[in-house]
Protein backbone atom coordinates (compact mmCIF):
# COMPACT_ATOMS: atom_id res chain seq x y z
CA UNK A 1 0.00 0.00 0.00
CA UNK A 2 1.12 3.59 -0.58
CA UNK A 3 -0.42 5.10 2.53
CA UNK A 4 2.92 6.58 3.49
CA UNK A 5 6.19 6.83 1.54
CA UNK A 6 8.09 5.22 4.43
CA UNK A 7 11.24 6.88 5.69
CA UNK A 8 13.51 4.38 7.40
CA UNK A 9 15.94 5.41 10.11
CA UNK A 10 19.28 3.82 10.85
CA UNK A 11 18.49 3.58 14.57
CA UNK A 12 15.84 0.98 13.71
CA UNK A 13 16.54 -2.71 13.71
CA UNK A 14 13.26 -3.80 12.22
CA UNK A 15 9.93 -2.34 11.30
CA UNK A 16 7.33 -5.07 11.18
CA UNK A 17 4.63 -3.39 9.17
CA UNK A 18 1.27 -4.94 8.37
CA UNK A 19 -0.27 -2.80 5.66
CA UNK A 20 -2.91 -5.27 4.59
CA UNK A 21 -6.08 -3.48 3.49
CA UNK A 22 -6.94 -0.86 6.09
CA UNK A 23 -10.46 -0.70 4.67
CA UNK A 24 -10.95 -4.45 5.16
CA UNK A 25 -12.90 -6.08 7.97
CA UNK A 26 -11.11 -5.57 11.30
CA UNK A 27 -10.60 -9.28 11.82
CA UNK A 28 -8.71 -9.49 8.51
CA UNK A 29 -6.27 -6.65 9.22
CA UNK A 30 -2.69 -7.26 10.18
CA UNK A 31 -1.28 -5.64 13.29
CA UNK A 32 1.54 -3.11 13.06
CA UNK A 33 4.56 -3.41 15.36
CA UNK A 34 7.42 -0.92 15.14
CA UNK A 35 10.55 -1.41 17.25
CA UNK A 36 13.23 1.26 17.56
CA UNK A 37 16.61 0.53 19.14
CA UNK A 38 18.38 3.83 19.49
CA UNK A 39 22.00 4.03 18.23
CA UNK A 40 22.19 0.40 17.08
CA UNK A 41 23.90 0.32 13.67
CA UNK A 42 22.84 -2.04 10.91
CA UNK A 43 26.55 -2.64 10.23
CA UNK A 44 26.87 -4.47 13.57
CA UNK A 45 24.01 -6.90 12.95
CA UNK A 46 24.89 -10.31 11.56
CA UNK A 47 21.83 -10.25 9.28
CA UNK A 48 23.44 -7.24 7.58
CA UNK A 49 26.77 -8.99 7.07
CA UNK A 50 28.63 -8.33 10.33
CA UNK A 51 31.29 -11.02 10.84
CA UNK A 52 30.44 -11.71 14.49
CA UNK A 53 27.20 -13.51 15.26
CA UNK A 54 25.62 -10.74 17.33
CA UNK A 55 21.89 -11.02 16.63
CA UNK A 56 20.56 -14.61 16.20
CA UNK A 57 16.92 -13.73 16.98
CA UNK A 58 16.92 -10.76 14.61
CA UNK A 59 18.59 -12.89 11.94
CA UNK A 60 15.71 -15.34 12.20
CA UNK A 61 13.14 -12.57 11.86
CA UNK A 62 15.00 -11.06 8.90
CA UNK A 63 15.19 -14.46 7.22
CA UNK A 64 11.44 -14.96 7.46
CA UNK A 65 10.47 -11.45 6.39
CA UNK A 66 11.72 -8.61 4.22
CA UNK A 67 15.04 -6.95 4.98
CA UNK A 68 15.60 -3.44 3.63
CA UNK A 69 19.24 -3.11 2.64
CA UNK A 70 19.18 0.56 1.64
CA UNK A 71 17.93 2.50 4.67
CA UNK A 72 18.42 6.28 4.78
CA UNK A 73 18.20 8.31 7.96
CA UNK A 74 16.76 11.81 7.78
CA UNK A 75 18.85 13.05 10.72
CA UNK A 76 21.73 11.96 12.92
CA UNK A 77 19.79 12.05 16.21
CA UNK A 78 16.56 10.82 17.72
CA UNK A 79 14.01 13.66 17.72
CA UNK A 80 14.07 14.73 14.05
CA UNK A 81 14.61 11.14 12.90
CA UNK A 82 11.53 9.74 14.62
CA UNK A 83 9.50 12.80 13.68
CA UNK A 84 10.28 11.94 10.06
CA UNK A 85 9.33 8.31 10.60
CA UNK A 86 5.99 9.21 12.22
CA UNK A 87 5.04 11.89 9.69
CA UNK A 88 6.71 10.70 6.45
CA UNK A 89 8.20 14.17 6.04
CA UNK A 90 11.74 15.39 5.57
CA UNK A 91 13.19 17.39 8.45
CA UNK A 92 12.88 20.60 6.45
CA UNK A 93 9.14 19.95 6.13
CA UNK A 94 8.25 19.04 9.70
CA UNK A 95 10.73 21.53 11.21
CA UNK A 96 11.51 19.58 14.40
CA UNK A 97 15.25 20.07 14.13
CA UNK A 98 16.24 21.11 17.66
CA UNK A 99 14.99 20.42 21.21
CA UNK A 100 13.12 23.74 21.36
CA UNK A 101 10.75 22.79 18.53
CA UNK A 102 7.72 20.52 18.40
CA UNK A 103 5.43 19.04 15.80
CA UNK A 104 2.83 21.40 14.37
CA UNK A 105 -0.81 20.51 14.92
CA UNK A 106 -1.57 20.42 11.19
CA UNK A 107 0.77 17.47 10.60
CA UNK A 108 -0.88 14.05 10.65
CA UNK A 109 1.05 11.31 12.43
CA UNK A 110 1.02 7.60 11.65
CA UNK A 111 -0.65 6.86 15.00
CA UNK A 112 -3.40 9.41 14.31
CA UNK A 113 -3.99 7.93 10.88
CA UNK A 114 -4.27 4.37 12.16
CA UNK A 115 -6.43 5.44 15.10
CA UNK A 116 -8.91 6.97 12.66
CA UNK A 117 -8.94 3.66 10.76
CA UNK A 118 -10.02 1.79 13.87
CA UNK A 119 -6.65 0.61 15.16
CA UNK A 120 -5.85 0.59 18.87
CA UNK A 121 -2.61 2.44 19.41
CA UNK A 122 0.07 2.25 22.09
CA UNK A 123 3.65 3.38 22.60
CA UNK A 124 6.11 2.22 25.27
CA UNK A 125 9.33 4.21 25.18
CA UNK A 126 12.32 5.48 27.06
CA UNK A 127 14.33 8.65 26.59
CA UNK A 128 13.77 12.42 26.72
CA UNK A 129 12.90 13.00 23.07
CA UNK A 130 9.57 11.20 23.36
CA UNK A 131 8.35 13.65 25.98
CA UNK A 132 4.79 14.70 25.15
CA UNK A 133 5.94 18.32 24.70
CA UNK A 134 7.24 17.32 21.26
CA UNK A 135 3.74 16.01 20.36
CA UNK A 136 4.90 12.66 19.03
CA UNK A 137 2.35 11.15 21.40
CA UNK A 138 -0.52 12.33 19.21
CA UNK A 139 -2.73 9.44 18.12
CA UNK A 140 -1.55 7.01 20.81
CA UNK A 141 -4.35 5.98 23.16
CA UNK A 142 -1.76 4.49 25.50
CA UNK A 143 1.52 6.36 25.87
CA UNK A 144 4.05 5.15 28.44
CA UNK A 145 7.35 6.99 28.79
CA UNK A 146 10.11 5.85 31.16
CA UNK A 147 13.52 7.21 32.10
CA UNK A 148 16.36 6.60 29.66
CA UNK A 149 18.07 4.29 32.14
CA UNK A 150 15.12 1.86 32.24
CA UNK A 151 15.96 -1.25 30.16
CA UNK A 152 13.50 -2.74 27.71
CA UNK A 153 13.20 -5.89 29.85
CA UNK A 154 11.47 -3.85 32.55
CA UNK A 155 9.03 -2.35 30.04
CA UNK A 156 8.00 -5.64 28.42
CA UNK A 157 5.62 -6.84 31.18
CA UNK A 158 3.47 -3.73 30.66
CA UNK A 159 3.62 -4.29 26.90
CA UNK A 160 2.50 -7.91 27.31
CA UNK A 161 -0.36 -6.78 29.54
CA UNK A 162 -1.52 -4.28 26.94
CA UNK A 163 -1.36 -6.89 24.17
CA UNK A 164 -3.49 -9.34 26.16
CA UNK A 165 -6.20 -6.67 26.50
CA UNK A 166 -6.60 -6.15 22.76
CA UNK A 167 -8.47 -9.33 21.91
CA UNK A 168 -9.05 -9.50 18.18
CA UNK A 169 -8.87 -5.77 17.53
CA UNK A 170 -6.17 -4.54 15.10
CA UNK A 171 -3.42 -2.60 16.83
CA UNK A 172 -0.38 -0.40 16.24
CA UNK A 173 2.36 -0.89 18.83
CA UNK A 174 5.56 1.19 19.01
CA UNK A 175 8.47 0.19 21.25
CA UNK A 176 11.61 2.23 21.72
CA UNK A 177 14.66 1.44 23.82
CA UNK A 178 18.03 2.97 24.64
CA UNK A 179 19.54 -0.32 25.80
CA UNK A 180 22.60 -0.04 23.54
CA UNK A 181 23.04 3.71 23.92
CA UNK A 182 25.92 5.22 25.90
CA UNK A 183 27.20 4.70 28.62
CA UNK A 184 27.58 1.19 27.10
CA UNK A 185 27.15 -1.03 30.12
CA UNK A 186 26.31 -4.45 28.65
CA UNK A 187 25.15 -7.35 30.82
CA UNK A 188 28.05 -9.36 32.22
CA UNK A 189 27.57 -12.28 29.82
CA UNK A 190 28.01 -9.99 26.81
CA UNK A 191 30.66 -7.55 28.02
CA UNK A 192 33.63 -9.64 26.85
CA UNK A 193 32.01 -11.93 24.33
CA UNK A 194 33.85 -10.45 21.36
CA UNK A 195 36.59 -8.41 23.04
CA UNK A 196 38.26 -9.98 26.05
CA UNK A 197 40.09 -6.71 26.85
CA UNK A 198 37.02 -4.44 26.92
CA UNK A 199 37.12 -2.11 29.92
CA UNK A 200 34.39 0.38 29.12
CA UNK A 201 34.27 3.77 27.42
CA UNK A 202 37.56 5.63 27.12
CA UNK A 203 36.17 9.05 28.08
CA UNK A 204 34.20 7.84 31.14
Amino acid sequence: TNLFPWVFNTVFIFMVLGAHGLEADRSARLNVIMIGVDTLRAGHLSCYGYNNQTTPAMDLLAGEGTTFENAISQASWTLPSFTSVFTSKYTGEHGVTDPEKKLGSVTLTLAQFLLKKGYRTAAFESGPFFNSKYELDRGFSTYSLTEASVPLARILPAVSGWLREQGGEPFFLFLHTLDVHAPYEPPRQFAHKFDKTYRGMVDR
Side-chain angles (χ1 to χ4, degrees):
T1 180
N2 291 320
L3 294 173
F4 282 82
W6 291 107
V7 180
F8 289 90
N9 186 298
T10 54
V11 299
F12 281 1
I13 304 176
F14 293 99
M15 288 181 172
V16 186
L17 300 174
H20 158 72
L22 292 181
E23 301 301 336
D25 179 77
R26 288 190 179 190
S27 63
R29 300 182 191 179
L30 294 182
N31 299 315
V32 180
I33 301 175
M34 184 185 295
I35 304 173
V37 181
D38 214 291
T39 70
L40 180 59
R41 293 179 54 183
H44 279 246
L45 305 182
S46 17
C47 56
Y48 278 93
Y50 191 51
N51 290 331
N52 292 325
Q53 294 301 306
T54 53
T55 50
M58 297 176 196
D59 299 347
L60 180 63
L61 180 59
E64 294 179 349
T66 299
T67 302
F68 292 86
E69 296 180 349
N70 186 20
I72 301 171
S73 176
Q74 299 307 310
S76 61
W77 58 290
T78 304
L79 180 59
S81 293
F82 276 97
T83 304
S84 287
V85 168
F86 282 138
T87 64
S88 193
K89 292 180 179 293
Y90 292 114
T91 57
E93 294 178 278
H94 63 62
V96 185
T97 53
D98 68 63
E100 303 304 317
K101 296 181 179 178
K102 63 181 181 179
L103 191 62
S105 60
V106 297
T107 302
L108 183 71
T109 67
L110 174 61
Q112 286 177 304
F113 179 85
L114 291 176
L115 186 66
K116 290 179 179 179
K117 292 295 181 179
Y119 275 66
R120 297 186 178 182
T121 57
F124 296 84
E125 309 134 335
S126 59
F129 294 119
F130 289 100
N131 188 295
S132 59
K133 70 180 182 180
Y134 297 114
E135 299 188 5
L136 294 181
D137 60 336
R138 294 205 325 248
F140 287 107
S141 298
T142 298
Y143 198 79
S144 176
L145 179 65
T146 61
E147 296 294 328
S149 59
V150 177
L152 183 61
R154 285 177 52 189
I155 299 174
L156 290 179
V159 175
S160 297
W162 183 85
L163 286 171
R164 284 193 295 269
E165 295 171 358
Q166 303 318 304
E169 293 295 313
F171 65 80
F172 168 42
L173 173 64
F174 173 61
L175 302 177
H176 174 267
T177 177
L178 289 157
D179 279 15
V180 300
H181 196 285
Y184 307 120
E185 296 175 351
R188 185 181 298 274
Q189 67 268 34
F190 300 122
H192 300 105
K193 185 173 182 179
F194 301 114
D195 183 357
K196 302 300 182 185
T197 64
Y198 179 74
R199 295 293 181 270
M201 293 180 66
V202 173
D203 62 351
R204 295 194 184 185

